[in-house]
Amino acid sequence: MTQAFDAITQQQLLETRAESALALARRAGADACEVGASVDQGIGVSVREGEVETVELSRDQGIAVTVYVGSRKGSASSTDAGEASILAVVEKALAIARHTGEDPDAGLADAALMARDLPDLDVHHPWALTTEQAVDLALACETAGRGVSGIRRSDGASLSSGEGVRVYANSHGFLGSQRGSRHSLSCMLIAEDDSGMQRDYDFTTARHPHDLVDPVLVGESAARRTLRRLGARRPMTGRLPVLFDPSLASGLIGSLMGAIAGGALYRQASFLCDRLGDDIFPDWFSLGERPMEPGAMASSPFDNEGVQTRNNIFIENGRLASYMLSAYSARRLGMQTTGDAGGARNLRIMAPLTPLEALLARMDRGVLVTELMGQGVNAVTGDYSRGAAGFWVENGEIQYPVEEFTIAGNLEAMFKGLLAVGDDTDTRGSIHTGSWLIDEMTVAGG
């Protein structure tokens, strides 16, 4: 069993350490300072073929200090948050700052933007789980999957459970802290027929352990997903509609957010530079973030610079309505922070949703993609090329599994060519979306 973790005590301790670091930085000559500190504890177990493979009990902590001397910046960090280590980190950060070049855009976010509304967002639900209980749950998941006819063997089931505290403070007088938890269970299985072996998996993740899918259902779902891939062949080559599974559609949203992130924009490393206000998607599609959504996977009342988070609309009726900016990237671009230091939180689509059967019918002939391989996305040009696997669709119905093919296009054309979003919304992560039907891409198969 993991060592007892008193989250409230840890929170108070980190807040004290953060304030101590700020005071040390002021006395040492820093004009401004910001401190981030965290502590996390968790348990992880994995089983394979009915046997325990690994048991890991983890406890990690760290503190990071950034100081500003005029327009010079220095940062240092340590995994030891004791008083002596904090002093050493502050001194190292100051030494770095005194030897770096001046940057007129460096500095804390404006004091007027600091978060004042700091509600409990219901994201901390620890799980009093013993090692034995964790193993039993993982074994139950794997056993259920292995028990499905046609499954040859297991590639393992894993359970992880963790909780932690993070604190951010700066010399504006802001101090914010948040306790959080995350739990997950996954299973990967292997099946084989005359055409060869196939593997697939399924998983569940949640803030609250009661929101996890039953282990038996996860294992059985992993088995069904694996068995449906047997007999895969290569699809035909051509310009075809492509339907992205929800778990992959979220990756397309991730590519969009990377392209509108301030860091990429001020470096001129995005295909969406200088495109604010342009039509990027069809006019029925909108996308925004809800950082204050209770219980959600990425909820937080303040960003990584202490700025109050807020609902932002990034795509409004197809139009690029806002970039995703931190205080620094906003200054580089002559704009205002959107409260997104550290990234957007809880991305949600606002659009008509279509049943999967209707998506397939509209597609008529093409590929449903359920797995992608490789990193073939060029953020500068938007060019997109990935290895893929999935299913061939003919006459609006899934016919057979396909593999060993590539799909290629350009993100801007793919966004404009979005025909519909499915109602099969995947809510397991911070990005919630259903399947995406793209009008056409280059499919290169056999």
Side-chain angles (χ1 to χ4, degrees):
M1 185 174 181
T2 55
Q3 178 184 347
F5 185 88
D6 185 337
I8 294 177
T9 299
Q10 292 295 327
Q11 184 175 10
Q12 294 170 342
L13 180 60
L14 288 184
E15 290 175 353
T16 299
R17 288 170 174 169
E19 291 175 327
S20 174
L22 291 174
L24 288 169
R26 279 194 299 269
R27 291 199 295 268
D31 296 314
C33 177
E34 56 187 333
V35 180
S38 64
V39 59
D40 299 280
Q41 179 170 295
I43 180 174
V45 302
S46 63
V47 300
R48 188 192 298 264
E49 299 291 341
E51 300 291 336
V52 177
E53 192 168 54
T54 62
V55 174
E56 180 180 1
L57 307 178
S58 62
R59 188 182 181 94
D60 301 302
Q61 65 176 351
I63 188 166
V65 176
T66 297
V67 299
Y68 300 92
V69 179
S71 59
R72 301 174 188 269
K73 171 184 174 181
S75 299
S77 63
S78 173
T79 56
D80 181 0
E83 195 69 31
S85 294
I86 292 174
L87 176 59
V89 169
V90 169
E91 291 176 340
K92 185 175 181 180
L94 279 164
I96 293 171
R98 293 182 177 119
H99 290 87
T100 57
E102 294 188 356
D103 183 348
D105 296 312
L108 302 177
D110 293 345
L113 300 176
M114 294 296 102
R116 291 178 173 81
D117 182 16
L118 301 174
D120 181 354
L121 293 178
D122 192 35
V123 295
H124 183 228
H125 297 280
W127 196 358
L129 192 67
T130 66
T131 301
E132 292 76 14
Q133 290 170 331
V135 168
D136 287 345
L137 289 168
L139 285 172
C141 181
E142 185 192 47
T143 300
R146 292 173 66 199
V148 175
S149 177
I151 294 298
R152 178 168 179 176
R153 61 178 185 269
S154 167
D155 212 15
S158 300
L159 182 143
S160 67
S161 174
E163 61 175 313
V165 180
R166 73 179 183 101
V167 170
Y168 172 83
N170 63 36
S171 48
H172 286 324
F174 175 80
L175 189 152
S177 59
Q178 187 174 34
R179 302 187 299 272
S181 60
R182 186 180 297 259
H183 317 286
S184 64
L185 174 67
S186 65
C187 182
M188 178 174 285
L189 300 168
I190 299 171
E192 184 176 13
D193 65 5
D194 293 340
S195 65
M197 288 194 301
Q198 296 288 346
R199 64 161 49 85
D200 210 328
Y201 73 101
D202 204 356
F203 73 98
T204 177
T205 185
R207 290 282 197 181
H208 198 302
H210 293 165
D211 293 330
L212 293 173
V213 176
D214 184 272
V216 171
L217 298 180
V218 174
E220 291 175 345
S221 175
R224 289 193 299 271
R225 290 173 61 88
T226 302
L227 291 169
R228 70 178 185 171
R229 298 184 62 162
L230 290 173
R233 60 188 94 164
R234 290 186 177 184
M236 64 176 288
T237 295
R239 297 284 295 176
L240 297 164
V242 174
L243 181 60
F244 285 83
D245 176 90
S247 64
L248 307 182
S250 65
L252 295 179
I253 295 177
S255 294
L256 166 69
M257 301 311 294
I260 65 172
L265 296 168
Y266 74 70
R267 293 184 179 93
Q268 294 290 301
S270 168
F271 69 98
L272 292 179
C273 286
D274 304 315
R275 299 293 301 278
L276 202 62
D278 287 2
D279 291 329
I280 303 299
F281 283 85
D283 61 9
W284 49 263
F285 181 91
S286 296
L287 174 74
E289 66 170 330
R290 299 175 187 168
M292 302 283 271
E293 186 175 297
M297 297 303 287
S299 296
S300 176
F302 58 93
D303 74 357
N304 289 3
E305 296 170 327
V307 173
Q308 184 82 61
T309 56
R310 63 178 190 260
N311 289 352
N312 287 311
I313 300 296
F314 298 110
I315 305 294
E316 185 173 24
N317 299 324
R319 179 180 62 90
L320 180 55
S322 173
Y323 291 139
M324 181 179 67
L325 305 175
S326 65
Y328 180 77
S329 62
R331 291 187 190 117
R332 290 290 300 264
L333 294 167
M335 304 178 78
Q336 180 72 273
T337 176
T338 57
D340 284 308
R345 293 164 176 81
N346 303 325
L347 289 163
R348 306 290 185 259
I349 288 174
M350 292 150 280
L353 301 181
T354 304
L356 180 60
E357 294 78 9
L359 288 179
L360 293 171
R362 185 169 182 180
M363 171 189 246
D364 187 46
R365 186 191 206 199
V367 289
L368 162 59
V369 177
T370 59
E371 183 181 3
L372 291 170
M373 287 79 77
Q375 305 295 322
V377 183
N378 187 321
V380 178
T381 64
D383 289 339
Y384 185 98
S385 180
R386 307 282 300 275
F391 298 89
W392 180 256
V393 177
E394 190 82 41
N395 298 321
E397 295 184 354
I398 294 174
Q399 301 296 323
Y400 50 82
V402 289
E403 62 181 1
E404 296 181 356
F405 65 98
T406 60
I407 54 173
N410 182 274
L411 285 172
E412 185 167 359
M414 291 161 65
F415 295 158
K416 288 289 287 186
L418 178 62
L419 298 178
V421 175
D423 64 0
D424 51 343
T425 304
D426 187 343
T427 62
R428 292 175 294 186
S430 64
I431 301 174
H432 289 187
T433 181
S435 300
W436 280 27
L437 177 58
I438 306 297
D439 58 355
E440 66 172 14
M441 297 179 69
T442 298
V443 176

